[in-house]
Amino acid sequence: MTVQDLRKVLRERGAAAPPPNPARRTQVEARIRRRRLRRTAVAGGAIAAAVVLAATLLPGTAQPPDQTAATKPTLPGTFVAADGTEYRKVAATTVVTPGKKKVTVTVPLTGNPIDLAASCTGAVRGSITPSVAAAGLPAQHDLVACSKEMQVLGLQVPKGTGKAEVVIDPVVAGKGCVQTKKNGPCDQPKIERSVWSLAFYEWIPPARPVIPEEPRALPGRLGEMKLRKTESGTWPEQDTVTFRTSGAIGLEKICTGDLASRLRFSVSVNGKDPGVNGSCAVWKQGDFPWAMGLHTLPKGKTSTVTLKLHMDGGSHPNRPVRWSVGVYGK
């Protein structure tokens, strides 16, 4: 083999290997940005939209001409996550948002968890994110703003083997406004056209649990609120945390691990469910991703506040999440 041949082989093999974790940082940062925007978003009325929907890409299915080939983002056939989890693409489609027609994708099920990956070309602000739902299960609205970087989300699918019909809905359900400055106007964002490449991956978890790093220490003060107490643990071994406290409080949650952003917290006060829940923030660098949940407890007595941790889809005991919860008060 000549030197030129050797260089050619190395280039080909290097190009075929996807990055170990293509979009973890982008996925987390986008999720935090979305949580902050939701705090100032105001629901509005319905708006009509109609854009051509691209063909569903399913093996063995005839396809009309693809009008988005020049701008369509691509997703790898396989990749490996940071904790060693192997991902393999089993189905894919391309849609354009906003749109008025739903697309159905047949996803084969082997018993392994299924994740949804997405990459998008278009404007970040004003883009419409499609919802995704397996037949008979709630729709998921977890995709964040349009980004060329790949974001990976857990997907709820029926248990067992066979196949699942997954519906992708690019319809604009409503409109809202975003307040970008304190006491500033609430601006109506312009709806922008976006091309979404969506792929479904089955994944094989590590043979043994991969314990992530410990979460960073929570800030001692957030605004006028001081940190009263903290609790930490590892999900799924520790899936409940309880505090005895009083007065007006705020709760902050941060997590580490490849599935950290999928962990959900449901809050109960004195055994009653106030209907409060939320996801876990990931804080690796920069400013603390402040998104405090506020609670006003009954006056004149100490209350029991319980947080229940759960993950609805795309999870496994060998991919644990380390969590830290802080109680803040004045």
Side-chain angles (χ1 to χ4, degrees):
M1 177 180 290
T2 66
V3 173
Q4 289 78 9
D5 291 336
L6 178 59
R7 289 176 176 173
K8 181 179 180 182
V9 169
L10 291 174
R11 283 197 301 270
E12 291 174 349
R13 292 187 177 180
N21 191 12
R24 187 64 185 164
R25 178 177 174 181
T26 300
Q27 176 189 354
V28 170
E29 291 177 347
R31 181 180 293 273
I32 293 170
R33 288 195 300 271
R34 182 185 65 177
R35 293 172 70 215
R36 285 175 172 169
L37 288 174
R38 280 182 173 176
R39 297 174 66 189
T40 54
V42 180
I47 100 179
V51 175
V52 176
L53 191 64
T56 301
L57 307 179
L58 292 177
T61 303
Q63 305 171 26
D66 187 351
Q67 303 298 323
T68 64
T71 59
K72 183 175 64 180
T74 58
L75 294 170
T78 61
F79 67 91
V80 179
D83 62 7
T85 300
E86 300 177 3
Y87 281 77
R88 183 178 70 88
K89 187 192 296 183
V90 295
T93 191
T94 301
V95 298
V96 176
T97 62
K100 64 177 181 179
K101 294 182 180 179
K102 298 178 181 180
V103 172
T104 300
V105 182
T106 300
V107 178
L109 303 178
T110 63
N112 291 323
I114 298 292
D115 276 7
L116 167 67
S119 182
C120 175
T121 57
V124 175
R125 184 177 181 184
S127 63
I128 298 300
T129 57
S131 68
V132 182
L137 295 173
Q140 296 183 219
H141 302 271
D142 295 332
L143 288 170
V144 296
C146 183
S147 171
K148 292 181 181 180
E149 299 297 329
M150 185 171 73
Q151 51 184 296
V152 182
L153 309 171
L155 184 69
Q156 295 186 57
V157 295
K159 295 181 179 180
T161 59
K163 62 182 180 180
E165 300 299 317
V166 178
V167 178
I168 301 165
D169 188 354
V171 177
V172 180
K175 64 180 181 179
C177 61
V178 177
Q179 188 179 26
T180 56
K181 296 181 180 180
K182 185 177 181 180
N183 300 324
C186 196
D187 300 323
Q188 173 67 54
K190 180 182 178 182
I191 303 301
E192 300 284 355
R193 178 182 182 273
S194 302
V195 181
W196 291 81
S197 181
L198 304 174
F200 301 88
Y201 292 84
E202 70 167 0
W203 51 266
I204 301 174
R208 295 182 178 86
V210 178
I211 306 300
E213 69 277 11
E214 183 179 357
R216 299 173 66 180
L218 286 161
R221 177 185 289 273
L222 290 172
E224 297 180 352
M225 308 285 273
K226 295 182 180 180
L227 182 63
R228 290 182 179 176
K229 56 183 70 176
T230 61
E231 291 286 348
S232 59
T234 302
W235 180 91
E237 285 79 10
Q238 291 93 33
D239 62 0
T240 304
V241 56
T242 299
F243 297 97
R244 294 279 292 167
T245 187
S246 60
I249 64 167
L251 298 175
E252 280 288 5
K253 294 90 64 178
I254 57 173
C255 296
T256 59
D258 254 22
L259 305 184
S261 58
R262 303 184 190 183
L263 196 63
R264 306 287 297 178
F265 289 80
S266 299
V267 181
S268 65
V269 179
N270 297 323
K272 296 182 180 180
D273 180 9
V276 177
N277 61 76
S279 59
C280 199
V282 178
W283 183 29
K284 291 188 176 181
Q285 60 183 6
D287 294 337
F288 180 74
W290 188 359
M292 184 180 293
L294 299 176
H295 304 267
T296 301
L297 305 178
K299 295 181 179 180
K301 67 175 184 179
T302 300
S303 296
T304 300
V305 179
T306 302
L307 290 84
K308 183 70 175 179
L309 290 62
H310 62 93
M311 203 177 292
D312 294 327
S315 63
H316 192 276
N318 284 2
R319 304 186 76 184
V321 172
R322 295 184 71 174
W323 52 264
S324 180
V325 178
V327 177
Y328 288 80
K330 293 184 178 180

